[in-house]
Amino acid sequence: MGTGHFFWVIFYFASLCSASLANNAKINFREKEKKVLDQILGAGKYDARIRPSGINGTDGPAVVSVNIFVRSISKIDDVTMEYSVQLTFREQWTDERLKFDDIQGRLKYLTLTEANRVWMPDLFFSNEKEGHFHNIIMPNVYIRIFPNGSVLYSIRISLTLACPMNLKLYPLDRQICSLRMASYGWTTNDLVFLWKEGDPVQVVKNLHLPRFTLEKFLTDYCNSKTNTGEYSCLKVDLLFKREFSYYLIQIYIPCCMLVIVSWVSFWLDQGAVPARVSLGVTTLLTMATQTSGINASLPPVSYTKAIDVWTGVCLTFVFGALLEFALVNYASRSDMHKENMKKKRRDLEQASIDAASDLLDTDSNATFAMLRQCEVHMQAPKRPNCCKTWLSKFPTRSKRIDVISRITFPLVFALFNLVYWSTYLFREEEDETF
């Protein structure tokens, strides 16, 4: 019993000693990591102003691999022609001065949060308008140094970038917005940027944009030459397709409804002047307000957009319906004037016939009637005209104008829709294949 108790006491003290040794080993390991950092980045041992050597320690340019992860795209502004994006930006290069002993694989990498401790590529975003880093809760940046001297730099940034747009097909258009990254001071003799092999650009899943859809993205190089040398440049083109359903509901269908409402005046009586004038003026002002609201949300460009053609033609149809009533009103007054003149002429003819009948006898009247009948039978019969026969049902010119307008306006508007949608949808398909 005493021997067993002594054994458990020895086992307890052995466990405490092993735990103490393990803690000491862990503390010593972190101290070793600190010593390695002091060894490679100590004063007088590393100069962050000097760029790394080229591949395999040659005197060639330092090669920096770049890849980005697009976290979100918050807006694409048509007026200012810019878009905002938040991304994780990563660079990786090799600096042989930062090699260290990994202590048999126990030190996988060293971590830094101060970028000024090591040499950094002077990359900048050439089409940037605004940008900022993220510092909540801590600065979203880190640097990893691997045993072979490889350096990985990662940072989360938000950028507002310029995106020149061609709005000729708006709102049936596609836009290409670029993200350009270049060296500011180092020429290609000293620094070269390359896209990381494999998957250099990644986009977050379920990326949601209110009025656009990201169809695809392409990576490319855009080196630029100036009088101070050639500078390395990378770019990624983001292809956005505008969502048409919003504009169909907010613009195209309301404009169609306004045009159709303006045709109601063709079915009103020509004597209902206040109703027809009020309807025409109201639809015209509403259409003008709709057009001005659309133009207020777009930049003032020098070319004609697809939406300008649509609103312009719809405004013309509404204005044409108002002018049609002015023509009907004029024709109505002209018909009334002609009817009064015919009535006076018939009264004069009837008075002259009554006076002449008193001077003529019965036989001469009969002979005149027979000659008149022979003359009518000798006239050649005319072929009936369908249009004239149909229009003859409407005795006045004003009524005929209304009836013709009821048919002409819808037919011309339907023809315009056929030409409009065929033209712009076909051009959209051409741009997509291009």
Side-chain angles (χ1 to χ4, degrees):
M1 190 69 179
T3 305
H5 181 72
F6 179 76
F7 173 77
W8 284 110
V9 171
I10 296 297
F11 180 76
Y12 175 73
F13 279 104
S15 299
L16 290 177
C17 291
S18 62
S20 177
L21 290 173
N23 290 334
N24 290 334
K26 185 175 182 181
I27 294 173
N28 292 337
F29 176 71
R30 294 303 164 203
E31 289 181 356
K32 185 63 177 178
E33 186 176 353
K34 175 181 178 300
K35 290 180 180 179
V36 172
L37 284 173
D38 293 339
Q39 180 182 356
I40 62 177
L41 298 176
K45 295 182 179 180
Y46 184 87
D47 193 343
R49 298 173 298 176
I50 308 300
R51 72 168 180 85
S53 57
I55 300 176
N56 298 326
T58 62
D59 194 30
V63 178
V64 179
S65 299
V66 175
N67 72 303
I68 60 176
F69 175 67
V70 179
R71 293 182 172 272
S72 65
I73 300 176
S74 58
K75 69 172 183 176
I76 301 177
D77 197 333
D78 299 317
V79 178
T80 57
M81 292 193 178
E82 63 186 22
Y83 71 106
S84 299
V85 60
Q86 182 187 126
L87 50 87
T88 298
F89 176 75
R90 303 185 186 97
E91 295 176 306
Q92 192 165 7
W93 66 93
T94 300
D95 192 341
E96 295 187 353
R97 298 171 296 174
L98 298 176
K99 288 183 177 181
F100 62 90
D101 184 13
D102 60 355
I103 313 176
Q104 298 179 352
R106 299 185 67 184
L107 276 178
K108 294 183 179 180
Y109 54 82
L110 304 174
T111 302
L112 294 176
T113 56
E114 299 177 0
N116 57 356
R117 297 289 301 276
V118 297
W119 176 87
M120 293 291 300
D122 61 343
L123 181 140
F124 77 106
F125 297 93
S126 58
N127 60 332
E128 171 207 352
K129 288 187 174 181
E130 294 180 0
H132 67 272
F133 302 124
H134 293 265
N135 298 317
I136 301 175
I137 298 177
M138 292 292 292
N140 297 166
V141 57
Y142 70 82
I143 299 175
R144 290 178 181 175
I145 303 175
F146 295 89
N148 63 348
S150 178
V151 181
L152 174 63
Y153 173 74
S154 178
I155 188 171
R156 186 165 72 100
I157 53 179
S158 293
L159 299 170
T160 300
L161 304 165
C163 178
M165 299 181 181
N166 186 350
L167 300 174
K168 289 183 178 180
L169 298 181
Y170 177 91
L172 300 167
D173 57 334
R174 285 178 169 83
Q175 301 297 336
I176 298 178
C177 295
S178 298
L179 174 63
R180 294 174 176 266
M181 301 160 284
S183 172
Y184 187 79
W186 299 98
T187 64
T188 53
N189 295 327
D190 298 309
L191 179 62
V192 173
F193 290 111
L194 297 177
W195 284 114
K196 185 179 180 181
E197 295 181 359
D199 195 6
V201 178
Q202 300 173 340
V203 179
V204 66
K205 294 181 180 179
N206 301 324
L207 179 66
H208 177 71
L209 294 172
R211 291 184 299 158
F212 288 88
T213 300
L214 179 61
E215 289 192 328
K216 60 182 178 179
F217 51 87
L218 302 172
T219 57
D220 200 356
Y221 295 90
C222 53
N223 291 5
S224 59
K225 291 184 178 180
T226 66
N227 56 1
T228 57
E230 182 180 0
Y231 297 88
S232 183
C233 175
L234 302 177
K235 75 171 182 176
V236 54
D237 292 331
L238 305 172
L239 178 60
F240 296 101
K241 179 183 179 182
R242 196 181 300 272
E243 288 291 343
F244 180 68
S245 57
Y246 168 81
Y247 301 93
L248 180 65
I249 297 172
Q250 297 294 327
I251 296 177
Y252 284 91
I253 292 179
C255 289
C256 282
M257 294 174 65
L258 286 174
V259 172
I260 294 173
V261 167
S262 68
W263 300 341
V264 175
S265 64
F266 304 154
W267 299 87
L268 298 178
D269 185 75
Q270 58 190 13
V273 177
R276 297 188 69 163
V277 171
S278 300
L279 182 63
V281 173
T282 302
T283 53
L284 182 63
L285 292 177
T286 307
M287 191 66 216
T289 304
Q290 180 88 347
T291 303
S292 62
I294 295 170
N295 293 329
S297 62
L298 291 174
V301 294
S302 59
Y303 48 82
T304 302
K305 304 179 290 293
I307 194 67
D308 295 334
V309 176
W310 175 264
T311 55
V313 172
C314 290
L315 188 62
T316 302
F317 270 93
V318 174
F319 183 67
L322 184 60
L323 290 183
E324 188 270 350
F325 170 67
L327 181 61
V328 167
N329 187 266
Y330 173 78
S332 177
R333 288 185 284 108
S334 179
D335 291 337
M336 292 179 62
H337 178 71
K338 287 183 178 181
E339 186 66 25
N340 293 331
M341 294 298 295
K342 287 182 179 180
K343 185 177 181 181
K344 290 181 180 180
R345 190 180 298 111
R346 285 196 300 268
D347 293 341
L348 292 175
E349 290 178 355
Q350 185 64 33
S352 62
I353 290 174
D354 292 341
S357 61
D358 295 338
L359 301 175
L360 297 175
D361 55 3
T362 307
D363 294 336
S364 59
N365 287 336
T367 306
F368 177 78
M370 293 177 60
L371 293 174
R372 183 74 177 176
Q373 185 176 5
C374 292
E375 183 180 357
V376 170
H377 284 288
M378 289 177 64
Q379 292 179 355
K382 296 182 179 179
R383 297 180 60 184
N385 191 320
C386 297
C387 294
K388 289 184 178 180
T389 304
W390 177 68
L391 289 176
S392 62
K393 298 178 180 179
F394 309 101
T396 61
R397 288 190 305 168
S398 58
K399 191 64 176 178
R400 292 176 185 176
I401 293 174
D402 272 341
V403 171
I404 294 174
S405 299
R406 295 173 190 174
I407 301 174
T408 304
F409 273 71
L411 285 179
V412 175
F413 189 68
L415 180 62
F416 161 71
N417 273 270
L418 179 63
V419 174
Y420 179 87
W421 296 112
S422 300
T423 301
Y424 284 102
L425 290 178
F426 180 71
R427 290 179 62 180
E428 182 187 10
E429 293 177 357
E430 283 185 347
D431 294 344
E432 183 178 359
T433 56
F434 177 76

